[in-house]
Amino acid sequence: MKRRFFSAVSILMILTLTIFLLPGCSQGESTPAPSSSGSLTVNSGAESSSTVPESSTASESSTPSSALEESEAQTPESGDNSGEEAVAPEASGEAGTLSVAFGNRNAPFTLHLYDNPTAAAIARHVGTASWQLPIYHYDDYDNWEVMQYYDIPSRYEIPDNSETITGEAAGTVYYSEPNRIVLFFHEAQVTEEYTPVGYFDYTEEFVKAVEENPVLEGWGNKLVFISKSE
């Protein structure tokens, strides 16, 4: 009887151990698969963590520098372009005006001055004292039908920057060395060495004022009055 009891107990123990050992064995057999897949996952994660930050770092280190290089390279160009756009007034070539009347007490016309040292010197002298210039010759010299010239007193120093002029538009004013202002009140083709000074707006009233400037009684000549613009 005792032997049967011990035999039954032994069988139960064996069965119990078998029940507990079999899951462990199966778990032990199946463990390598997750572990190997886990190691692959970790490795791929390691590869990803080792490569991604490097590319990210490269992009972070290169992008700002390239952006700065582009901005530094482009900013001066935009500045130069705006500087070029700041040159527009210079392209107009104008620097002030003077008032010119052909004949005593006649309505004045505006002389637009070019931006150069010759025109600036004339404006400076006129600014200190108005000019009253006589026209001694007005119908007895070459091209008198299209031009007039006015002699300036020699005490005024005026720089000469003459250039060869072959065609003159109506209303243009030049300086001819020494100390002479030349006005073309009609279009002309005259080759001379002149320095551009300025121009009048060409109108019928302007041409009429120049051509009909009366001779001053008792003097035998015409007068041109040049003064500062009001």
Side-chain angles (χ1 to χ4, degrees):
M1 190 71 184
K2 291 181 179 178
R3 291 180 179 177
R4 291 181 180 177
F5 175 77
F6 285 114
S7 298
V9 171
S10 300
I11 292 170
L12 288 173
M13 290 179 66
I14 292 170
L15 289 174
T16 302
L17 289 174
T18 304
I19 291 171
F20 282 104
L21 288 174
L22 284 176
C25 292
S26 63
Q27 184 178 2
E29 291 174 356
S30 61
T31 300
S35 129
S36 70
S37 68
S39 66
L40 288 175
T41 303
V42 171
N43 289 337
S44 66
E47 291 176 0
S48 148
S49 63
S50 62
T51 56
V52 173
E54 289 179 2
S55 62
S56 173
T57 303
S59 65
E60 288 177 0
S61 62
S62 62
T63 302
S65 64
S66 62
L68 286 174
E69 289 175 359
E70 290 178 0
S71 65
E72 290 175 357
Q74 292 176 0
T75 301
E77 294 179 359
S78 62
D80 291 343
N81 291 335
S82 66
E84 291 175 3
E85 291 175 1
V87 203
E90 193 175 15
S92 68
E94 294 184 24
T97 59
L98 290 175
S99 182
V100 180
F102 301 92
N104 190 21
R105 299 181 180 177
N106 286 346
F109 293 85
T110 299
L111 171 59
H112 303 273
L113 297 174
Y114 294 133
D115 187 7
N116 61 46
T118 303
I122 292 174
R124 184 173 62 253
H125 294 315
V126 172
T128 59
S130 298
W131 286 353
Q132 180 177 305
L133 305 180
I135 308 174
Y136 296 111
H137 304 281
Y138 47 87
D139 59 1
D140 60 351
Y141 58 91
D142 291 341
N143 302 310
W144 68 269
E145 303 93 343
V146 296
M147 64 176 286
Q148 289 183 354
Y149 65 86
Y150 321 122
D151 289 331
I152 305 169
S154 59
R155 67 177 178 273
Y156 294 109
E157 293 184 3
I158 299 175
D160 175 64
N161 295 286
S162 58
E163 56 189 73
T164 302
I165 305 296
T166 58
E168 296 80 14
T172 51
V173 177
Y174 299 93
Y175 173 74
S176 177
E177 195 179 28
N179 289 63
R180 175 172 288 179
I181 291 178
V182 179
L183 164 64
F184 284 88
F185 56 94
H186 286 298
E187 184 177 356
Q189 300 292 325
V190 178
T191 302
E192 290 288 349
E193 297 294 318
Y194 290 144
T195 302
V197 170
Y199 67 94
F200 290 96
D201 292 325
Y202 186 74
T203 63
E204 293 182 0
E205 290 77 13
F206 165 74
V207 175
K208 183 178 180 180
V210 175
E211 293 179 338
E212 297 183 3
N213 185 359
V215 176
L216 186 63
E217 293 183 6
W219 289 80
N221 56 270
K222 301 179 179 183
L223 295 178
V224 173
F225 299 86
I226 306 177
S227 60
K228 294 190 299 182
S229 296
E230 297 181 358

